[in-house]
Every structure is written in structure tokens, then in C-alpha cells.
Amino acid sequence: MSEYKPTEEQKELIKTDKSALIIAGPGTGKTRTAIEKAMIEVRKFDEDSPHRILFLSFSNAAIYRLLSSAKIVFSRKERRFLKFMTFHSCAADILRNYGRFVGLPCKIKIMDTLEEKFNAFEKGWTSSDEDYEEKLQSLAKTEGLLAFSVLIAFAIKLLSSCDTIRDIISRKYKLIIVDEFQDSSEEQWKLLRLLGQESQVIAFGDPNQIIYSSMHSATRRRFEEFQAWKDIKETPFSETNFRCDDDEILRFAN
């Protein structure tokens, strides 16, 4: 395994205060670069800073990988300023604090899949019902029970309809780092735009690693929309690979 020595574009990313869309494949140092960038920013915060750095990903697996890397670099004191979340857990966190502004009870509970199925069975619903999502939204408002599938929709509704709350949350996160951007959904992308309108946003992705090939055109469009949103161009990481000493293999694969 190659020793991590930041390339020139990685050094530039670590120093910049601008948003960026990074095209980087496996082993090119994107996780380590993201952690180094966060470390630089965290050390600018004073003890009582209200600001946080948000790491976002579509999956828990990616978050666990980032967390394990962060433990190596950050002190316990510095880790207070970091939040590692999936898009869904981020939406849930927002709704726990502000959900009442979109008609949710003060106390809410996020249902797991089994609990959702049990409640649906009890009420005579099936997931094939045309209005199933509407029924889940109604359940959330009347009983405070939120299914996984309605979390982001409620958070989007909240942030879209209340400028004050959106500004509070957006200003809280000075830097948002998005992992595996190519696998984010349209709904997650909409949430990111609402969260990050006042923030520096650095998204890492690779169109060649899309989980579902049928999503390629939609993903390509999201990459273009990100560039327009933050008025930047894509930045590809070089072919230097920190997992494999033989770059010739990777060049051939690319």
C-alpha cells in the first residue's frame, strides 16, 4: 500500500474555501483528503463555536468508514465539531428539532421496517396501495411514527417552507463533505441543496462507480447541476493510487 502524500490537487482542495466536485476513484485518497480538510477547518473553531462540519453519505457503511478514519486524526475535543450522518439520519435530526413546523407532534419516533409493516398490517394497508406514502405521512402527523421513506420528504418540506429554519441550519454547517455523491438520489440531492446553500460543499464521486447503471444519465445531470449550483467545475484526482503500487493497472482499467 502506498504512503499517503497529498497530490497537488489534493493540497489545493485542503486549502481552498470554495466548494468543489471531486471526481475520484477507489484508492485515490478521497477519504483521507476529506479528513485532512475537516481537520484544518475544525482547528479554526474556538471552544464555543456554534459551527459544525457535516459528513454526509447515502449509506451507513460509508459513514462507518469515515468514522474509523476520523478516530485516527481527531482528538475527542475536536470531534465535538464533527457530525457524520446519512441523508436519512440528517433528515431525522432536523425533524426531531423542528418537525412541529410541518405538522409533526413534538415527540416523534422513527420506525424500522418491521414496525412499519406491523402498523400497516394493523391498519389494513399494503405497500402496493396507490396512496401508501400519503398514509405514512398521515401516520407521522397523527401518531408521530415516521417511516424511513418519508423522512427526507418531510425535511425538504420543512426547509423549503421556512426560510428562518433553513438559514439557521445552513449557517451551522460551515463545511459539508459528501461521500459517494454518484449514488445519491434526486430526493437526497434536493435536501443537500437546501442544507448547503450558505455552506462550502465538497462532494466526492465517481460516475464509473454508480451502483445502478440505469441511473447513469440522472447522475450525470446531478453532477452538472452541482457545478451550476456552486459555480465551479469538476476536479479530477490524479491517477495516483494509495492502495495499489502499480498505477499501470489502474490506467488500463480507466
Side-chain angles (χ1 to χ4, degrees):
M1 182 179 291
S2 302
E3 180 186 354
Y4 175 76
K5 293 179 181 178
T7 61
E8 289 307 311
E9 68 266 21
Q10 289 170 350
K11 290 177 184 176
E12 188 64 30
L13 177 64
I14 290 168
K15 292 187 296 183
T16 189
D17 60 358
K18 296 180 180 179
S19 294
L21 176 58
I22 307 300
I23 309 302
T28 52
K30 57 181 183 288
T31 299
R32 182 57 189 257
T33 303
I35 296 298
E36 293 287 343
K37 172 63 178 173
M39 179 174 65
I40 294 295
E41 297 304 316
V42 159
R43 290 175 182 171
K44 294 177 184 177
F45 297 166
D46 59 42
E47 187 88 23
D48 301 316
S49 174
H51 300 305
R52 296 293 183 269
I53 291 173
L54 175 63
F55 285 85
L56 271 179
S57 182
F58 81 102
S59 74
N60 282 315
I63 291 299
Y64 293 147
R65 173 169 51 78
L66 285 165
L67 275 167
S68 63
S69 298
K71 287 177 183 175
I72 299 170
V73 180
F74 292 95
S75 68
R76 182 179 299 176
K77 176 182 174 183
E78 291 164 341
R79 277 175 57 79
R80 290 191 297 111
F81 297 106
L82 304 175
K83 291 185 80 74
F84 293 82
M85 306 177 103
T86 64
F87 284 95
H88 285 87
S89 63
C90 182
D93 188 61
I94 292 168
L95 295 174
R96 287 189 184 98
N97 291 310
Y98 304 104
R100 62 191 181 278
F101 294 103
V102 282
L104 297 177
C106 291
K107 290 185 178 181
I108 62 172
K109 179 182 179 183
I110 313 303
M111 297 186 292
D112 59 26
T113 304
L114 182 61
E115 193 170 3
E116 178 187 334
K117 288 181 178 178
F118 177 79
N119 273 281
F121 176 78
E122 196 174 48
K123 297 177 186 305
W125 306 341
T126 67
S127 57
S128 60
D129 293 345
E130 288 186 8
D131 60 347
Y132 184 67
E133 285 299 306
E134 293 175 18
K135 289 173 178 174
L136 289 178
Q137 292 190 18
S138 176
L139 179 66
K141 289 182 176 181
T142 56
E143 300 184 36
L145 298 174
L146 275 75
F148 191 74
S149 62
V150 303
L151 289 174
I152 294 180
F154 269 114
I156 288 172
K157 183 179 180 181
L158 170 64
L159 297 178
S160 299
S161 61
C162 188
D163 294 345
T164 302
I165 294 174
R166 184 178 65 242
D167 289 345
I168 289 170
I169 294 172
S170 185
R171 287 173 182 158
K172 175 182 178 180
Y173 296 122
K174 297 289 287 183
L175 170 63
I176 299 175
I177 296 174
V178 185
D179 194 34
E180 309 293 0
F181 180 61
Q182 76 277 356
D183 292 319
S184 58
S185 67
E186 287 295 326
E187 192 178 50
Q188 291 164 348
W189 167 223
K190 188 170 184 179
L191 178 62
L192 175 61
R193 280 178 288 177
L194 290 165
L195 284 172
Q197 66 175 16
E198 301 292 335
S199 310
Q200 179 186 11
V201 181
I202 297 176
F204 292 88
D206 181 2
N208 294 325
Q209 293 187 71
I210 298 171
I211 292 177
Y212 304 108
S213 59
S214 60
M215 295 168 55
H216 193 277
S217 60
T219 300
R220 187 67 260 170
R221 186 178 68 252
R222 266 198 306 281
F223 275 54
E224 292 167 357
E225 289 172 353
F226 187 103
Q227 293 173 76
W229 176 44
K230 290 298 185 180
D231 192 25
I232 50 102
K233 293 186 180 298
E234 292 178 351
T235 301
F237 272 4
S238 69
E239 292 175 342
T240 300
N241 195 283
F242 301 98
R243 296 182 194 167
C244 178
D245 293 324
D246 191 349
D247 289 344
E248 189 66 33
I249 297 171
L250 298 161
R251 282 194 293 273
F252 175 78
N254 287 332

